[in-house]
Amino acid sequence: MTTAPTLAPIAIIDIGSNSVRLVAYDGLRRGPTPLYNEKVLCGLGRSVFSTGRLNEDSVQRALAALRRFRVLCDTMRIDRIVVLATAAARDAANGPAFLEAAREALGQEIQLLSGRREAELSALGVVSGFYSPDGVVGDLGGGSLELVDVHGTTVGQGVTMPLGGLALQDLSENSPKKARKIAREHLKKAEPQLDTLRGRTFYAVGGTWRALARLHQAARGYPLHVMHGYAVEPSDELSFLEMVEASDAATLQEVETISEARRPLLAFGAVVLEEIIRLGRPREIAISAFGVREGLLFEQLDRDTRALDPLIVSAQDLNLQRARSPGHGEELRDWTDHFIATLDGPETAGERRLRHAACLLSDIGWRAHPDYRGEQSLNVIANAAFAGIDHPGRAYLALSGFFRHEGVAPERASSTLRNLAGPRLFDRARLVGALMRVAFPVSAGMEGPLKRIPIAVEDGKVVLRLPAERAALNGERLLNRVRGLGRVIGLDGRIEIV
């Protein structure tokens, strides 16, 4: 059943093979924001394949966590709670008894997901969190690995295998060497999915793969700590995975940021990802912070809401919360549309949506001290919980906000963000920053004025037209900004009174 978006909080409790997690969201809508997020690493699936049963100590830890989550949901006044259970509860002989105890602990019914259903929801999570995804989704949990093809909003048929970190550790008797052979055998079942992966993106879902990505960022000295949308080339990833498999986890850089309970699983997660890369030959590996939970929320939305751009929705939210006059951001979007249409050279659809998001985010730093508005805007935007954007796009948005406050001289920008954005997006960020620097002195960040103050490229010059009743706005400061915009694109600039 699909529903219209609602701002009533909703919580999802995910009883996984390794962790039990509560995530409370601010509502059922496109681009929901987590209100509260807590996980407990219980290791329910630690010995299921060797004993056929859930470990009793793990069961008691999980039930204690669920009782805690019930109190937290009551504290947050959350009426709608969805509870999911996956591989460990599905495969263990005492799984039904555990689920009954879990139901009593929570006072909620529990949905036991099949492997195919888990794959479908993981894929929908990627559809929810990425802009036009195209590739194969791999969701690595504690007990299982699900693989499923995704193209745009189309989700293929998934396959599930017992290659989760705990399961593989159990099956291999804690030997990464044996684990590799086991992974290769099971991945033969995934030929339909892996055959389509060549030259496309592999979307890595799951806590162990996110932990590996965090270590990879540390090894590279990467400028952003955001996981979602972090992408690496297969050759770079393979050399890193081989290093993880050959090393003692305790010696890895930044390993202290990874929970001790997860560290033993890193080598097994690395083995599985390495085999997928060698068999599937993807173009890149992209980390997804969106998975089963977000897929479940996305599935429940009506068609029109699912079709919304999550990046634009999130930018609109920040605009409403932080801008002086939120309508100005919408107006700035249209004002820059008109200017861009007068330039030589096309703007891609991807660049257009990034520019629209930048306009909506243009005034979120105004409450900071003037000396820090550029830096604060950059940090907030670069690290915001956005979906539907990759890391070069994040760098573009952050730099646009920085240039709007600090000026568009290239040397003022962070060299790391400049390199992350790449030459094309860096230049586009300077352009939109320069446009914003013209817009704010004539509008004071308020809705209304820009509709009557057009700017365009005409006869080889940037021309800003002020209506006669606003002629007093003309002056050296404004002219310098118009000319500064012109210099970004190699033209002169002037102001006309009409």
Side-chain angles (χ1 to χ4, degrees), residues 15-293:
I15 304 172
S17 298
N18 194 29
S19 65
V20 176
R21 184 187 290 267
L22 162 67
V23 185
Y25 299 90
D26 61 352
L28 181 62
R29 61 195 186 93
R30 196 70 174 97
T33 301
L35 295 172
Y36 187 82
N37 188 332
E38 181 179 325
K39 71 177 177 184
V40 179
L41 291 171
C42 300
L44 279 170
R46 187 170 305 281
S47 57
V48 168
F49 280 91
S50 58
T51 69
R53 298 180 63 81
L54 301 173
N55 176 273
E56 188 58 33
D57 288 342
S58 297
V59 166
Q60 294 307 315
R61 284 198 297 274
L63 293 176
L66 295 176
R67 286 189 285 269
R68 171 179 169 77
F69 292 169
R70 182 175 185 172
V71 173
L72 288 170
C73 287
D74 290 343
T75 301
M76 292 183 281
R77 296 181 175 86
I78 296 174
D79 295 325
R80 186 174 179 191
I81 303 171
V82 181
V83 189
L84 309 174
T86 55
R90 191 169 64 227
D91 298 333
N94 58 341
F98 164 72
L99 290 177
E100 177 58 26
R103 186 192 65 77
E104 291 180 5
L106 285 168
Q108 300 286 335
E109 294 301 319
I110 299 173
Q111 299 179 32
L112 180 60
L113 303 181
S114 67
R116 182 168 294 181
R117 175 65 171 154
E118 196 173 348
E120 178 186 30
L121 290 177
S122 293
L124 288 174
V126 168
V127 171
S128 172
F130 285 82
Y131 178 61
S132 297
D134 179 41
V136 172
V137 177
D139 187 349
L140 184 76
S144 63
L145 167 70
E146 283 73 40
L147 295 176
V148 58
D149 191 278
V150 62
H151 178 71
T153 59
T154 302
V155 173
Q157 184 171 318
V159 62
T160 185
M161 294 154 284
L163 296 180
L166 290 173
L168 196 53
Q169 185 183 40
D170 194 9
L171 289 168
S172 69
E173 300 175 322
N174 204 31
S175 167
K177 186 176 181 179
K178 290 182 180 178
R180 184 179 303 282
K181 294 179 181 179
I182 294 169
R184 286 177 181 170
E185 284 299 312
H186 281 285
L187 286 170
K188 291 178 181 178
K189 302 174 187 176
E191 286 182 1
Q193 288 78 18
L194 294 178
D195 284 348
T196 68
L197 180 55
R198 181 171 299 191
R200 301 165 76 208
T201 299
F202 180 71
Y203 299 95
V205 179
T208 296
W209 281 342
R210 286 195 299 273
L212 285 169
R214 187 175 299 115
L215 298 178
H216 189 267
Q217 287 182 339
R220 294 175 63 188
Y222 194 71
L224 297 182
H225 292 170
V226 176
M227 284 294 106
H228 188 68
Y230 179 60
V232 294
E233 295 182 355
S235 58
D236 183 23
E237 184 73 349
L238 282 173
S239 60
F240 175 75
L241 294 173
E242 290 168 356
M243 183 270 291
V244 170
E245 294 164 34
S247 302
D248 179 353
T251 66
L252 297 173
Q253 186 177 352
E254 296 290 328
V255 75
E256 65 274 5
T257 65
I258 310 301
S259 65
E260 290 188 16
R262 194 179 293 282
R263 292 176 198 174
L265 304 182
L266 294 175
F268 297 95
V271 164
V272 175
L273 185 53
E274 184 180 344
E275 290 304 309
I276 288 171
I277 292 171
R278 294 189 187 283
L279 292 169
R281 300 185 183 181
R283 174 176 57 86
E284 65 175 1
I285 297 91
I287 301 299
S288 176
F290 286 53
V292 168
R293 293 179 296 274

Side-chain angles (χ1 to χ4, degrees), residues 375-414:
E375 181 180 346
Q376 185 175 90
S377 295
L378 183 146
N379 287 329
V380 169
I381 295 169
N383 297 289
F386 292 144
I389 187 170
D390 58 15
H391 281 209
R394 281 182 178 275
Y396 162 91
L397 290 181
L399 289 166
S400 297
F402 178 82
F403 287 137
R404 171 258 187 274
H405 291 287
E406 300 293 335
V408 297
E411 62 273 11
R412 299 180 72 90
S414 159

